Amino acid sequence: MFTTYLKLVFAVVSWGGAFVFAKMAGADIGEVEAASWRFLVSALLLTPLLFRTRFPKPTAREMLLFLVLGLSGIYFYNLFFFHGLQLIKSSLAGMIIALNPIVILLLSVYFFKERLTPKMFAGVVISITGAIVVVLGRQVPQGGEASSWLGIILILGCVISWSIYSLFGKAMMKRYSPGQLISVSVWIGAVILLLHLYLSGSSLPPVSGISLFSVFYLSAIATVLAFVWYYDAIRQIGAGFSAQFINLVPFLAALFGYFILDERISLLTLSGGVLVVTGVLITQRAKISQAEASAPCSPKQSQAADE
């Protein structure tokens, strides 16, 4: 069990570091180039997961959904991510991306008519308030207001893209394993990123030094190894408890930014991040309680209720 927690912590720490190394790789070789390298390497490393279990023959609808997953979770997410990180601090980006569970919940309520309990609503309000505080507390260089807002909008684009990926991916998990879903999505996203490079007249640049290490970190560690270990933790200790650890990512991104890039974070932004994560925790706990309440009773519970 200790090994499981160690793997889970490693996965979360690696995701926190991804903000800094994506920022450095994008600055060194270009945003689309860095994203293309990341997912080309990731796709090759993830390929064995496609064949660990039998891969069901996809229907025409599922092929379209796979395309949506590759576009939303890989292509658009990383265009927004790598470009946005060049305009704002990695710590600020981490605080904004922490809104992912809130946006997923709101989209689920709107499109799938999921029930929004009072506790969930309170969590949403707290998180959105925290996001506003995060933005108000950011430190903007003189004359950089416009680029700062563009960076915030791009990172919000990450949140929307990942929320779409999560909702469509949830529907696909009825027939495909998480490993199969992420592997196919990464391959589709990698091909589209490479096509983007080709159509824009660019090509994959050689990588060395910091860009080489960043690509290795982003692909082998933050994408492949972290994914495998995170889902191993889900199997061992459950999805609900494992998801709680992800709330550490924005603060880890801030720590990596501080120690590696010398990024300073204001007390107001940090306070807003705490509010965002607090709201997410409240909604997560409320969803777990809702799921437990709606779960069918065990035979012993039913017998006790009858008595």
Side-chain angles (χ1 to χ4, degrees):
M1 188 63 71
F2 174 76
T3 304
T4 300
Y5 283 107
L6 198 61
K7 289 179 179 180
L8 183 56
V9 169
F10 175 88
V12 171
V13 170
S14 72
W15 289 329
F19 288 82
V20 167
F21 290 106
K23 189 180 185 78
M24 291 194 293
D28 191 37
I29 59 175
E31 295 89 348
V32 181
E33 290 83 355
S36 299
W37 264 120
R38 174 186 185 179
F39 286 100
L40 177 59
V41 175
S42 297
L44 294 170
L45 294 175
L46 283 167
T47 298
L49 294 181
L50 280 171
F51 308 106
R52 181 174 289 181
T53 57
R54 188 185 68 84
F55 191 88
K57 182 180 179 180
T59 63
R61 176 179 175 273
E62 288 171 341
M63 291 175 69
L64 180 61
L65 289 177
F66 271 126
L67 178 60
V68 171
L69 293 179
L71 282 169
S72 60
I74 308 301
Y75 177 70
F76 282 116
Y77 179 93
N78 283 276
L79 283 187
F80 295 142
F81 185 63
F82 278 87
H83 281 95
L85 282 171
Q86 299 308 310
L87 300 174
I88 62 174
K89 293 179 179 180
S90 52
S91 54
L92 176 57
M95 301 294 178
I96 295 172
I97 285 182
L99 283 169
N100 269 331
I102 298 299
V103 175
I104 292 170
L105 172 63
L106 292 176
L107 291 177
S108 298
V109 170
Y110 183 80
F111 288 106
F112 302 112
K113 309 305 177 188
E114 288 193 11
R115 182 168 168 253
L116 185 67
T117 66
K119 280 189 177 180
M120 290 181 192
F121 180 75
V124 169
V125 171
I126 291 171
S127 283
I128 292 175
T129 302
I132 294 170
V133 173
V134 164
V135 172
L136 292 177
R138 75 194 191 283
Q139 297 167 333
V140 183
Q142 189 172 3
E145 187 72 27
S147 62
S148 176
W149 276 110
L150 177 58
I152 289 169
I153 292 170
L154 288 170
I155 297 301
L156 284 172
C158 290
V159 175
I160 300 298
S161 298
W162 189 255
S163 299
I164 293 171
Y165 175 87
S166 299
L167 292 176
F168 280 94
K170 184 179 179 181
M172 293 283 278
M173 286 183 73
K174 294 175 181 177
R175 289 194 69 207
Y176 299 92
S177 71
Q180 291 170 337
L181 283 180
I182 191 67
S183 300
V184 174
S185 302
V186 165
W187 265 113
I188 292 173
V191 169
I192 297 172
L193 283 165
L194 291 170
L195 184 61
H196 180 131
L197 276 182
Y198 175 77
L199 293 176
S200 62
S202 300
S203 59
L204 276 178
V207 290
S208 60
I210 189 62
S211 58
L212 177 61
F213 180 79
S214 296
V215 167
F216 168 77
Y217 180 95
L218 291 167
S219 55
I221 298 176
T223 302
V224 178
L225 198 55
F227 163 80
V228 171
W229 282 2
Y230 180 72
Y231 276 95
D232 181 60
I234 286 178
R235 285 192 295 270
Q236 296 291 330
I237 60 178
F241 189 72
S242 299
Q244 309 291 325
F245 280 76
I246 297 179
N247 295 311
L248 296 172
V249 170
F251 303 108
L252 291 166
L255 282 175
F256 273 95
Y258 177 80
F259 286 108
I260 297 178
L261 301 178
D262 196 30
E263 291 182 346
R264 307 292 170 170
I265 182 171
S266 71
L267 183 60
L268 190 59
T269 295
L270 186 60
S271 301
V274 171
L275 282 175
V276 170
V277 172
T278 299
V280 170
L281 280 169
I282 291 171
T283 58
Q284 286 176 333
R285 296 286 176 85
K287 286 198 75 174
I288 291 171
S289 299
Q290 185 185 54
E292 290 175 347
S294 60
C297 296
S298 65
K300 288 184 178 180
Q301 289 174 319
S302 298
Q303 184 179 357
D306 291 338
E307 292 173 355

